[in-house]
Amino acid sequence: MALTIKEAAEHTGLTVHTLRYYEQEGLLKALKRDERGNRLFEPEDLDWLYFIRCLRDTGMPVAKVKHFAELAFKGDHTMRERLQILQDHKRSTERKVEEMNSFLEKITHKTVWYENLVREREQAAEKV
Amino acid sequence: MALTIKEAAEHTGLTVHTLRYYEQEGLLKALKRDERGNRLFEPEDLDWLYFIRCLRDTGMPVAKVKHFAELAFKGDHTMRERLQILQDHKRSTERKVEEMNSFLEKITHKTVWYENLVREREQAAEKV
DNA sequence: TGTTGACTTCAAGTGCACTCGAAGGTGTAT
DNA sequence: ATACACCTTCGAGTGCACTTGAAGTCAACA
């Protein structure tokens, strides 16, 4: 049922180092331990880690994820603030995606331009 | 015609520090200087900087931009290699955008979920 | 029995990309 | 004349997010 740190790492795509780092930074609420003190990751911890990945991979700094986590651990009365953070992050991610798309367009243009140039040179080479 | 470093910074959205850093790292070909040794940014330098921004803002590391720059400075015989780099980067950027979009979806879901929860609590509060 | 491998802690190290500070030169405005 | 805003170089410092190392415990396998 509960996973070891290694299994949790495999499931989330994070390293065991990063998982320990996240716990120590306060991004995870105190994990259960077995008799030997080994960390146990329960399904809800995994869900939380997937969500952390979402936030991190869309550019939220660890410190901000930590803040969000602390609010979540405090209970329901922090919901409005958490909602605000999510809405802001959603908007900033949307902007980022738009920006990425416009950069992607420029890169595509340049690529096409290069492709044409390379093709021309090869045709010119054939004629010789 | 040619811009000072400050003006170039304003046009490209980079800082003067970053511009000097880019030159020193070899991302820019030797800039012209005025009588006093001050850098002069010509339109083609600006174009190149815009393109660098494209690459950087889509996640290409400085070292790789540098490699691309060096190829470009070497002349036309490096075109195939440059094309290859651009094609690869284009693909990796496309993947990144797709990933961002899927993360964005999850964040949107979570946001909506929070919005509903907050609304419910407020309605419950009204009844009391 | 010994060695392999997974886990633990704590602290220090790394890599990237800036970012800043010190020390100094020059041109224009008051 | 002196202050201010700009520029220069070189080298060191910063911030973030890991990442690694050292030193140790424990259980299972050959």
Side-chain angles (χ1 to χ4, degrees):
Chain A
M1 174 112 197
L3 305 181
T4 67
I5 195 165
K6 202 195 176 198
E7 290 162 342
E10 277 156 9
H11 277 78
T12 58
L14 299 163
T15 68
V16 295
H17 301 293
T18 303
L19 288 173
R20 281 196 277 256
Y21 167 71
Y22 280 178
E23 194 202 16
Q24 145 195 335
E25 287 300 297
L27 270 58
L28 276 41
K29 68 164 173 293
L31 294 163
K32 292 226 173 84
R33 302 293 184 120
D34 67 10
E35 331 74 58
R36 283 185 295 299
N38 294 353
R39 290 169 181 82
L40 291 176
F41 289 79
E42 310 216 39
E44 58 189 272
D45 297 318
L46 272 281
D47 288 343
W48 179 239
L49 281 169
Y50 288 131
F51 187 56
I52 288 182
R53 273 215 60 189
C54 261
L55 298 179
R56 290 283 306 111
D57 288 0
T58 46
M60 187 182 286
V62 169
K64 202 160 182 185
V65 178
K66 178 184 177 170
H67 178 60
F68 188 89
E70 280 167 349
L71 289 174
F73 303 155
K74 270 188 202 158
D76 287 354
H77 64 285
T78 64
M79 210 130 71
R80 281 209 76 87
E81 194 179 341
R82 277 182 278 159
L83 174 56
Q84 187 63 58
I85 291 170
L86 278 190
Q87 283 170 337
D88 289 353
H89 185 64
K90 180 172 172 290
R91 264 187 287 277
S92 96
T93 305
E94 281 161 355
R95 270 198 305 278
K96 227 171 276 175
V97 169
E98 275 168 38
E99 204 193 24
M100 287 281 273
N101 272 321
S102 93
F103 283 133
L104 188 52
E105 227 174 278
K106 284 183 199 167
I107 291 167
T108 303
H109 264 94
K110 197 89 168 188
T111 306
V112 169
W113 183 77
Y114 264 95
E115 277 163 357
N116 287 334
L117 234 70
V118 167
R119 201 172 310 119
E120 276 170 35
R121 315 199 107 236
E122 274 165 12
Q123 281 169 3
E126 267 169 42
K127 279 188 193 150
V128 178
Chain B
M1 175 112 197
L3 305 181
T4 66
I5 195 165
K6 203 198 177 196
E7 290 163 340
E10 277 156 7
H11 275 79
T12 58
L14 300 163
T15 68
V16 294
H17 300 294
T18 303
L19 288 174
R20 282 196 275 256
Y21 167 70
Y22 280 177
E23 194 202 17
Q24 144 194 337
E25 287 300 296
L27 272 59
L28 277 41
K29 69 163 173 293
L31 294 164
K32 293 225 172 86
R33 302 292 184 122
D34 67 10
E35 332 74 57
R36 284 184 293 301
N38 294 354
R39 288 169 184 83
L40 291 176
F41 289 79
E42 310 216 39
E44 60 189 88
D45 297 318
L46 272 281
D47 288 343
W48 180 239
L49 281 169
Y50 289 130
F51 186 57
I52 288 182
R53 274 215 58 190
C54 262
L55 298 178
R56 289 286 306 111
D57 288 0
T58 47
M60 187 182 285
V62 169
K64 202 159 182 184
V65 177
K66 178 184 177 171
H67 178 61
F68 187 89
E70 281 167 350
L71 289 174
F73 303 155
K74 270 189 203 159
D76 286 354
H77 64 284
T78 64
M79 209 129 71
R80 280 210 78 86
E81 194 179 341
R82 277 181 278 158
L83 174 56
Q84 187 62 57
I85 291 169
L86 278 189
Q87 283 170 339
D88 290 351
H89 185 63
K90 179 172 171 290
R91 263 187 288 276
S92 96
T93 305
E94 281 162 354
R95 270 199 305 277
K96 225 171 277 174
V97 169
E98 273 169 37
E99 204 192 25
M100 286 281 273
N101 272 320
S102 94
F103 284 132
L104 189 52
E105 227 173 277
K106 284 184 199 166
I107 292 167
T108 303
H109 264 94
K110 197 89 167 186
T111 307
V112 169
W113 183 78
Y114 265 96
E115 277 163 356
N116 288 334
L117 235 70
V118 167
R119 201 172 311 119
E120 275 171 34
R121 316 199 108 237
E122 274 164 12
Q123 281 169 3
E126 267 169 39
K127 280 191 191 146
V128 177

